[in-house]
């Protein structure tokens, strides 16, 4: 039986993979994959990693040296992988889609929470404070939502927003003619939207797409939600946008410096990241720690596709769902 070492494993991963695995010996490790922990993969035929593991040139070369034949990402995003180094040396497979519903629904949950101040109401009523002062929201009906990226997740949020009776506008490099929405320029989306939800992959082109310049083009009082990757937003610019009240509230499931923080209980630690501390302390910022994917259905689909990717590779060398430097990913 082939041996697979899993990095950054949490109880919910073990639960979903054990429910489906029949063919592999799985070594579940809580450690993240780093230059220091890569040696734990010794003796493995493949490794399985998540979004905050490090897959740089050092790690890739070490894995090859130790005889690892495949890296299986149990994520859709692959911005954390040095594809150039891995090219033609170590195949990388991923889970391109596991539940766009999970992420789109979380984006809407963040928007609704920001607008109707559910986080504040929850804390108040726990203390028998039944005052409504400061909890005013607005109807979503007839408001304009701007969707940045109309791929799998953006498309589901479009349907959800239409269910609310919202006016949907979108910006994407490629316009999908099957979507009954109005595509606009990025500038138009920024200036016309009452709320903006980001569903772009993190690439060289999208890194810090939300910056001082683009924030200054936004409609005053906009809600901004990001469930894609933290690096799409320049966080310091976001804080300036929140302080000067262009951005009325931000719902963030991802953060550009999340790697050593998210998915862990840091409640007994003095957080050294001052930018994060500012965000956490702002009353109009809601932060969730990269949990948009976390539904039963998504986890089950992640396990199913990951195991199937690994099985095909070891059965006859078929590389399903490959990401690579020269592929059209
Ligand atoms: P997708 O590939 O289906 O869609 C991405 C869309 O972005 C495509 O339509 C593409 O044309 C567009 N795009 C790419 N580069 C662009 C650019 N420079 N300008 C304008 N448009 C551009 O991806 P998806 O499945 O919808 O996922 C979106 C992102 O969500 C993923 O890349 C991933 O990083 C993130 N994600 C987050 C979670 C989470 O738990 N928070 C879970 C899954 C995915």
């Amino acid at each position: 039986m082939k041996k697979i070492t899993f990095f950054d494993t949490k109880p919910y991963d073990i639960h979903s993979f054990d429910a489906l695995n029949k063919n592999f010996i799985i070594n579940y490790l809580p450690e993240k994959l780093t230059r220091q922990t890569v040696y734990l993969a010794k003796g493995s035929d493949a490794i399985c990693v998540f979004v905050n593991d490090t897959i740089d040139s050092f790690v890739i070369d070490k894995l090859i040296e130790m005889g690892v034949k495949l890296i299986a990402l149990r994520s859709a995003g692959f911005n954390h992988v040095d594809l150039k180094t891995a090219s033609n040396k170590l195949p990388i497979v991923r889970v391109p889609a596991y539940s766009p519903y999970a992420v789109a629904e979380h984006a809407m949950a963040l928007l609704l929470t920001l607008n109707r101040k559910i986080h504040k109401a929850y804390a108040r009523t726990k203390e028998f404070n039944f005052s409504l002062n400061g909890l005013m929201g607005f109807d979503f009906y007839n408001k304009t939502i701007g969707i940045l990226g109309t791929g799998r997740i953006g498309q589901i949020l479009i349907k959800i927003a239409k269910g609310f009776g919202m006016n949907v506008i979108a910006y994407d490099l490629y316009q999908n003619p099957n979507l009954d929405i109005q595509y606009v320029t990025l500038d138009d989306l920024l200036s016309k939207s009452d709320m903006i939800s980001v569903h772009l992959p993190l690439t060289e082109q999208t890194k810090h797409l939300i910056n001082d310049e683009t924030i200054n083009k936004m409609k005053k009082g906009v809600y901004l939600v990001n469930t894609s990757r933290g690096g799409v937003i320049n966080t310091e610019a976001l804080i300036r946008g929140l302080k000067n009240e262009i951005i009325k509230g931000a719902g963030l499931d991802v953060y550009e410096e999340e790697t050593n923080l998210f998915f862990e209980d840091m409640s007994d630690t003095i957080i050294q990241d001052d930018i994060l501390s500012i965000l956490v302390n702002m009353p109009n910022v809601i932060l969730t720690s990269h949990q948009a994917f976390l539904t039963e259905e998504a986890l089950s689909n992640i396990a199913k596709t990951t195991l199937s990717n690994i099985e095909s590779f070891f059965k006859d060398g078929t590389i399903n769902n490959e990401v690579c430097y020269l592929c059209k990913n």
Side-chain angles (χ1 to χ4, degrees), residues 6-19 26 28-31 50 74 263-265 293-294 299-300 303:
F6 276 49
F7 285 90
D8 199 9
T9 327
K10 300 287 186 253
Y12 44 81
D13 296 311
I14 298 174
H15 179 79
S16 56
F17 275 89
D18 276 355
I26 299 186
Y28 295 111
L29 298 177
E31 288 86 355
F50 200 46
R74 46 182 198 281
F263 308 134
E264 307 302 330
D265 180 357
F293 74 99
L294 197 65
L299 285 179
S300 177

Side-chain angles (χ1 to χ4, degrees), residues 76-77 96 98 103 149-154 171-174 199-203 205-206 227-229 253-254 290-293:
Y98 41 86
V103 184
T150 56
R152 298 176 190 88
I153 297 168
Y171 170 73
D172 196 295
L173 278 185
Y174 306 100
H199 301 286
L200 300 168
L202 178 59
T203 63
Q205 293 76 42
T206 62
T227 55
S228 66
R229 284 292 179 269
D253 186 50
V254 285
H290 208 137
Q291 76 170 74
F293 74 99

Side-chain angles (χ1 to χ4, degrees), residues 21 26 39 45 52 79 103 117 130 134 138 144 187 222 267 270 292 298 301 306 318:
N21 176 42
I26 299 186
Y39 300 97
D45 298 286
N52 287 331
N79 52 283
V103 184
K117 324 277 187 289
F130 300 115
F138 56 76
T144 298
D187 280 4
V222 65
S267 53
I270 304 296
N301 289 336
T306 303
T318 306

